[in-house]
Amino acid sequence: EDITGFRKDDWINKTYHELIHPDDISVVEERMIKRLSGQGTSDPYEIRLYNADNDIIWVKITSESILQVKNGENQLSAIQTFVEDITEQKKAQLEIQRNEGRLKAILEANPEAMVVYNLQGHPDYINPAFTRVFGWTLDELAGRTIPFVPDDEKDKSSNKIREIFTHGMA
C-alpha cells in the first residue's frame, strides 16, 4: 500500500498483470515458478510497477521459499517477498546516463585532441581528434602512460596531472 498507493480492497477481482509493467511480467512469472517449486532464495531483481496514479515506479524484489519437512520431504510452506521502492535511485541513474551521453557527445565532437585520465594517470578515454592527431587508439594505450611526452617534460606532465586530481583544476 505504501509503495503503490493501492489498498488491499483495490485488488478484489484483479490480477498482478494489471500492476506489473508488461515487459516485466515474464521475469516475475519465471521467478514465481522457481519460488513455487521451492528453489530457495532468489537474487534480487528489479521491475516496473504501476502505482495508483498509473505512474511507473521501480521496485527491487527479493523473495524466498519457506520450506517445511512433511513425511521426510521438504514442501513449500510459504513464500516471503520483500519489495523496496527504488524509483528515486532509477531516476538518478537515468540522469547520470543522460549526462554521460551529453559529455561523450561533446568530447567526441571537439576538434581538439583530448584525453581523460584515470586515477593511475593512464588514459581512460581519448577522443577521435586525439587519434587523428597522434594515431593512437585507447586500446593501444590501455594501462600505459601516453608515450609522446618528451623525457624532459615527463615529470612536469605527471605533476600537472597529479595537481588536477588533487585540486580539481589545471
Side-chain angles (χ1 to χ4, degrees), residues 16-155:
Y16 65 89
H17 288 87
E18 297 171 64
L19 177 66
I20 300 169
H21 189 280
D23 294 342
D24 296 337
I25 288 175
S26 63
V27 172
V28 172
E29 289 176 342
E30 177 185 310
R31 301 294 180 118
M32 285 173 68
I33 289 167
K34 285 183 178 180
R35 295 295 70 72
L36 290 170
S37 66
Q39 296 182 18
T41 303
S42 73
D43 293 327
Y45 62 101
E46 299 172 358
I47 63 167
R48 292 160 289 181
L49 302 177
Y50 293 103
N51 67 13
D53 295 327
N54 208 33
D55 294 326
I56 292 176
I57 58 173
W58 281 90
V59 295
K60 179 168 77 172
I61 298 179
T62 306
S63 63
E64 70 177 305
S65 301
I66 309 296
L67 303 176
Q68 167 179 343
V69 179
K70 284 187 181 178
N71 300 327
E73 291 186 21
N74 285 334
Q75 292 186 358
L76 182 65
S77 171
I79 297 175
Q80 182 172 318
T81 301
F82 300 95
V83 179
E84 177 185 0
D85 185 350
I86 59 168
T87 304
E88 292 307 313
Q89 292 169 330
K90 281 294 193 180
K91 286 179 182 177
Q93 192 177 45
L94 289 171
E95 185 61 27
I96 288 169
Q97 289 171 346
R98 272 190 228 107
N99 288 338
E100 286 175 346
R102 284 186 213 123
L103 179 58
K104 185 173 182 180
I106 291 167
L107 293 172
E108 297 276 323
N110 193 325
E112 300 292 326
M114 296 188 71
V115 179
V116 176
Y117 292 96
N118 63 23
L119 294 174
Q120 290 73 42
H122 300 134
D124 221 14
Y125 169 85
I126 59 175
N127 70 347
F130 181 95
T131 300
R132 278 193 306 277
V133 171
F134 298 107
W136 290 299
T137 65
L138 185 59
D139 287 341
E140 292 171 328
L141 296 173
R144 299 174 44 206
T145 56
I146 295 177
F148 68 83
V149 179
D151 287 339
D152 61 339
E153 292 289 321
K154 283 184 180 178
D155 285 341

